Amino acid sequence: MYDIIIIGAGPAGVSAAIYGVSRGKSTLMIEKEKVGGLIGRVSTVTHYSALVEPETGESFAARLKSQAERAGAKIVYETVTGVSLSGDVKMVTTDRNTYQGKTVILANGTVSRKLGIPGETELWGRGIGMNAARDGQKYAGKQVYVVGGADGAIKEALYLAGLAEKVTVIHFEDQLGTIAEFKNRVEASENIQVRLHTRLTAVSGDGQVERLELTDVKTGKTEVVEDPGCGIFVYAGSTPATELYGELELKDGYIPVNERQETALPGVYAAGDICVKQVRQVATAVADGAIAAIHAAAAC
Ligand SMILES: Cc1cc2nc3c(=O)[nH]c(=O)nc-3n(C[C@H](O)[C@H](O)[C@H](O)COP(=O)(O)OP(=O)(O)OC[C@H]3O[C@@H](n4cnc5c(N)ncnc54)[C@H](O)[C@@H]3O)c2cc1C
């Protein structure tokens, strides 16, 4: 039996693991993909304190991983498929094992939202659904579209503008929903065009995206853009990965916690983007993880 089981090895989970081990607790962290989570897949990491500039998602995730390993956290690469959280002994089932814990920290973040438009599923990974950090180089000198207007989307658009011939940002609202720093950089950029109050409503092509349908949300007018070989990068928000947590009462799908990061179930904590909160950033995820682990350690 572990003192603390952590589900998810993003910034929140890694922070929780480091603090859990530091309290002398046996700590298991379960990760289905890679240590680093969402931030490990972005082009550049900004605004977190003490970044080593220019910080990529990959370099940041590598340091998260080495710090967790050096601390002595046990990490297993398995997918959690079920949990039983209500009893004194918490059960966590993965695709390979079942683990028991005195406490559990739920830190498995969010899942990127898809657009749900015609052609998206068939052409996913073939011109749409690209990842700037992984695929950006393939679009050097080409046409790129970024769907989304929040900080994450605009940061990836700025990165892609350094590679692509032209980046078109497609955003359904009247203004970009991003911070002044990014807005100013977009305005200063020579190869970023912003199309506001516009949605990407369909993609089509023969095995590869060849055309996009754009719809003006104010006039309802649609326009078909022929652009074979273009890349569409979708950053259209996310949904919490809480489908396993039917024992908890959720709010808009997110997990409510108190200031100790405790959920409504004794011995069950939550940390990071999966929680009900105002600000979803690495800084707040890491803070949540630390708070959750310090209180979990004190409870077992
Ligand atoms: C495009 C973009 C750019 C961003 N850039 C920045 C930035 O520059 N600076 C900043 O501060 N913030 C940035 N953010 C926000 C930041 O990435 C998140 O706030 C942060 O990653 C949240 O960390 P987390 O640990 O809560 O969740 P996540 O990072 O989502 O980690 C959750 C982990 O849980 C794992 N997991 C999920 N389900 C299971 C399961 N069933 N079993 C096992 N493991 C599971 C996942 O694989 C993942 O590794 C950005 C966000 C986006 C979308």
Side-chain angles (χ1 to χ4, degrees):
M1 167 130 55
Y2 288 92
D3 292 324
I4 303 173
I5 297 178
I6 300 160
I7 303 176
V14 169
S15 171
I18 291 163
Y19 275 88
V21 175
S22 75
R23 268 67 189 160
K25 301 297 174 182
S26 58
T27 304
L28 171 71
M29 183 159 59
I30 309 173
E31 169 55 48
K32 69 173 180 177
E33 290 174 21
K34 285 184 174 177
V35 173
L38 172 53
I39 200 70
R41 300 191 294 273
V42 307
S43 62
T44 40
V45 184
T46 49
H47 306 127
Y48 187 61
S49 308
L51 291 175
V52 180
E53 307 268 2
E55 186 80 273
T56 66
E58 200 179 357
S59 62
F60 189 73
R63 289 208 309 281
L64 283 175
K65 183 169 185 242
S66 69
Q67 191 178 354
E69 286 174 347
R70 267 186 285 120
K74 180 170 179 191
I75 307 171
V76 295
Y77 294 91
E78 299 172 17
T79 299
V80 175
T81 54
V83 291
S84 175
L85 302 173
S86 301
D88 284 344
V89 176
K90 317 297 177 195
M91 310 288 287
V92 179
T93 306
T94 72
D95 47 354
R96 270 173 262 166
N97 290 295
T98 296
Y99 300 98
Q100 296 186 344
K102 293 179 190 165
T103 64
V104 177
I105 299 175
L106 315 175
N108 53 303
T110 57
V111 180
S112 302
R113 199 179 279 143
K114 288 197 176 177
L115 299 172
I117 58 172
E120 183 184 34
T121 304
E122 301 86 307
L123 295 172
W124 193 257
R126 287 178 287 154
I128 186 166
M130 315 315 291
N131 170 305
R134 185 192 59 211
D135 306 312
Q137 287 292 347
K138 284 186 222 156
Y139 291 91
K142 296 188 180 172
Q143 298 291 320
V144 156
Y145 298 82
V146 171
V147 180
D151 293 342
I154 302 306
K155 188 153 60 74
E156 298 308 76
L158 288 162
Y159 167 77
L160 289 163
L163 299 167
E165 184 189 354
K166 183 179 161 197
V167 176
T168 304
V169 174
I170 302 165
H171 186 46
F172 70 97
E173 297 203 71
D174 284 341
Q175 283 189 31
L176 294 179
T178 191
I179 54 174
E181 176 192 330
F182 292 163
K183 261 189 204 156
N184 294 341
R185 286 178 58 196
V186 166
E187 278 163 20
S189 164
E190 285 177 0
N191 64 340
I192 301 182
Q193 183 198 3
V194 180
R195 290 195 58 156
L196 296 170
H197 49 83
T198 300
R199 284 188 190 275
L200 176 66
T201 43
V203 287
S204 58
D206 188 9
Q208 186 74 26
V209 173
E210 292 170 354
R211 66 195 68 81
L212 304 79
E213 181 191 85
L214 302 178
T215 302
D216 185 312
V217 297
K218 286 192 173 167
T219 64
K221 212 176 130 200
T222 62
E223 177 193 349
V224 174
V225 179
E226 296 284 342
D227 206 342
C230 71
I232 305 171
F233 295 73
V234 179
Y235 297 98
S238 56
T239 50
T242 45
E243 67 285 348
L244 296 172
Y245 307 135
E247 290 160 276
L248 288 168
E249 203 168 308
L250 304 174
K251 190 173 172 213
D252 299 328
Y254 293 91
I255 303 175
V257 289
N258 62 16
E259 74 279 9
R260 296 167 172 236
Q261 299 299 131
E262 290 169 319
T263 71
L265 292 173
V268 180
Y269 302 75
D273 281 9
I274 201 167
C275 300
V276 172
K277 64 198 304 195
Q278 295 289 322
V279 179
R280 293 193 171 84
Q281 288 283 286
V282 173
T284 58
V286 163
D288 289 355
I291 294 165
I294 288 168
H295 289 103
C300 62

